[in-house]
Amino acid sequence: MTNPINLNSFRNFLKSETSGGIILIICVVVSLIIANSPLGPAFAALLDKVIGFKTDSVDLEYSIASWINDGLMAIFFLLVGLEIKRELVEGELSSIKQASLPILAALGGVIVPALIYHSFNIGLETDAGWAIPMATDIAFAVAIITMLGKNVPVSLKIFLAALAIVDDLMAILVIATFYSTSLEYTYLLYAAGFVVLLIIFNRLGVKNLAFYLIPGAFIWYFIHHSGIHATIAGVITAFTLPTTPDAKESPLEKLEHILINPVNFIIIPIFALANTNITFESGMVEGLFTPLGFGIILGLFIGKPVGIFLASWIAIKFGISKMPDRAHWIHILGVGMIAGIGFTMSIFISLLSFSNSAHLMSEAKFSILIGSLLSAIMGSLLLIMVTKKEKRIEETAS
């Protein structure tokens, strides 16, 4: 009798912090291959296929691409919202002293890339994409820094995770404020009514997740039709879920545990498959040297580390924050580079920025790919070199 298949290795892979990032990288590669193969047109047609239903009072008929970008990504933002609230209640953002460094660093890492992009594109139609290089991809960034293992102090991993979460919150606020169409106030009032209902459930101590998720689906529908991007509904719903600072699992933490694997292994990979399908054409490399390409690549690769480093230096120099344990300034620079991996959120913002121009959208996606790749490689190499140098110094001293 043959031995049953040993699934332990597969289970361990799924439980590891790097697995989501590895699967995401695979999906990016697969999407690029499909887009540049004979399957490309058929795949594009599939994404444009309209599914759902529509009546006189309900409109749920959208293309598959829209369901992915507006529907599935709302679940992604729900998870991000849960992570932000948990960090505010009991994590790295729960006190002013703990939160000050990642908050200020994230602020620097948002402002400087946006300014760099704007300086290249001021007065041009591409200036609409000013927010593209300000975002950090949590899944990719945390996966990369985790794969570096002992080359990075644990405190830096915590710093990067908190920074990326604050970064996402800022990106969410930017999307809600600057990338929304004309508002339908009736739908907004309906959505607000359901938000008030969720707050009441929270105050009454209701813990059944259905009492939050079902109204949350209505909030998504009404916000989608209000002109504000529907993914914001996920964050709003997340912030109404009850949580506690003690060890007992709260409804928020329960939902976070439920969502983390589907988001990392299904939703983000599907988003990558659907939105990284860049068809390589003649002139695309030249597009990297246009104001749009320069703005994105330099914003991610230069703006992110410079903004994070400067903001961190000011915060620590003036005693507002303290340096992460066992970290040095060169570590902060390396983490800043890895924060330049903007992939998922940057592509998402590019879809909102250039929804009327397939050419600009493709150019932006390719630039994001190059900027994120440069950030990942150079940031990783810098942190590895620093660690090796420190080890040589320790060996010489001993």
Side-chain angles (χ1 to χ4, degrees):
M1 181 177 177
T2 57
N3 291 326
I5 297 172
N6 189 338
L7 296 176
N8 286 338
S9 296
F10 181 68
R11 291 194 189 99
N12 292 336
F13 171 74
L14 292 181
K15 289 179 182 178
S16 72
E17 293 177 280
T18 61
S19 52
I22 292 170
I23 291 173
L24 188 53
I25 292 169
I26 292 170
C27 287
V28 169
V29 174
V30 169
S31 182
L32 291 172
I33 291 171
I34 291 174
N36 293 278
S37 74
L39 294 174
F43 185 60
L46 174 65
L47 293 174
D48 290 335
K49 183 178 176 59
V50 175
I51 59 174
F53 66 92
K54 187 176 183 179
T55 67
D56 292 338
S57 55
V58 178
D59 183 2
L60 283 171
E61 194 174 60
Y62 309 111
S63 67
I64 291 176
S66 294
W67 277 114
I68 292 169
N69 295 330
D70 295 348
L72 288 182
M73 287 302 283
I75 300 174
F76 166 76
F77 277 92
L78 173 61
L79 178 61
V80 170
L82 295 172
E83 291 173 340
I84 292 171
K85 182 170 181 179
R86 176 172 51 75
E87 290 293 329
L88 287 169
V89 172
E90 59 184 79
E92 287 297 306
L93 306 177
S94 60
S95 71
I96 297 298
K97 195 69 176 178
Q98 284 179 301
S100 59
L101 186 61
I103 288 175
L104 293 173
L107 187 61
V110 163
I111 293 173
V112 175
L115 289 175
I116 288 175
Y117 182 96
H118 178 65
S119 68
F120 280 99
N121 292 272
I122 187 168
L124 304 175
E125 64 170 328
T126 49
D127 198 27
W130 61 271
I132 293 172
M134 61 177 268
T136 295
D137 188 300
I138 292 179
F140 260 145
V142 173
I144 292 294
I145 204 166
T146 303
M147 283 191 282
L148 293 176
K150 295 180 180 179
N151 289 299
V152 180
V154 174
S155 62
L156 278 182
K157 296 176 185 178
I158 296 170
F159 169 63
L160 176 62
L163 184 153
I165 288 170
V166 176
D167 191 292
D168 269 0
L169 177 58
M170 293 179 182
I172 288 163
L173 293 174
V174 166
I175 291 169
T177 306
F178 298 100
Y179 289 93
S180 298
T181 55
S182 57
L183 299 180
E184 294 286 342
Y185 291 100
T186 302
Y187 283 115
L188 278 179
L189 285 174
Y190 291 154
F194 276 97
V195 172
V196 170
L197 179 64
L198 291 183
I199 293 172
I200 292 171
F201 287 156
N202 184 307
R203 295 299 182 187
L204 292 174
V206 176
K207 295 184 178 181
N208 190 321
L209 289 175
F211 283 86
Y212 298 93
L213 297 181
I214 293 173
F218 282 95
I219 292 171
W220 176 88
Y221 179 83
F222 291 130
I223 287 183
H224 188 274
H225 285 76
S226 74
I228 295 175
H229 202 273
T231 51
I232 304 304
V235 180
I236 294 172
T237 302
F239 271 62
T240 64
L241 264 76
T243 188
T244 56
D246 55 39
K248 186 177 180 181
E249 186 180 58
S250 65
L252 182 146
E253 290 162 331
K254 181 179 180 182
L255 183 58
E256 189 177 355
H257 294 152
I258 291 171
L259 289 179
I260 193 160
N261 283 340
V263 167
N264 286 337
F265 301 131
I266 299 174
I267 291 174
I268 295 180
I270 287 175
F271 176 84
L273 277 172
N275 292 292
T276 322
N277 56 329
I278 305 166
T279 303
F280 294 117
E281 302 166 349
S282 59
M284 184 167 276
V285 173
E286 288 81 354
L288 298 175
F289 303 97
T290 62
L292 172 62
F294 271 128
I296 292 174
I297 294 172
L298 295 181
L300 290 172
F301 183 54
I302 303 297
K304 270 290 181 183
V306 168
I308 289 169
F309 186 91
L310 285 178
S312 299
W313 185 84
I314 292 170
I316 293 170
K317 188 74 173 177
F318 287 90
I320 302 170
S321 312
K322 64 177 183 177
M323 180 74 78
D325 187 44
R326 294 182 57 235
H328 306 292
W329 285 115
I330 194 71
H331 288 121
I332 299 294
L333 183 62
V335 167
M337 286 183 176
I338 290 177
I341 305 171
F343 196 74
T344 304
M345 194 70 83
S346 292
I347 287 180
F348 187 75
I349 295 174
S350 74
L351 297 177
L352 302 178
S353 304
F354 307 124
S355 57
N356 297 322
S357 174
H359 171 71
L360 290 179
M361 200 181 294
S362 293
E363 195 172 302
K365 287 180 183 179
F366 189 49
S367 300
I368 291 165
L369 196 63
I370 298 301
S372 297
L373 192 61
L374 283 171
S375 298
I377 292 171
M378 298 307 293
S380 299
L381 287 176
L382 178 61
L383 290 172
I384 290 170
M385 287 168 58
V386 170
T387 302
K388 286 183 176 179
K389 183 178 179 181
E390 288 177 343
K391 285 181 179 177
R392 284 199 301 268
I393 293 171
E394 288 175 3
E395 290 171 358
T396 302
S398 59

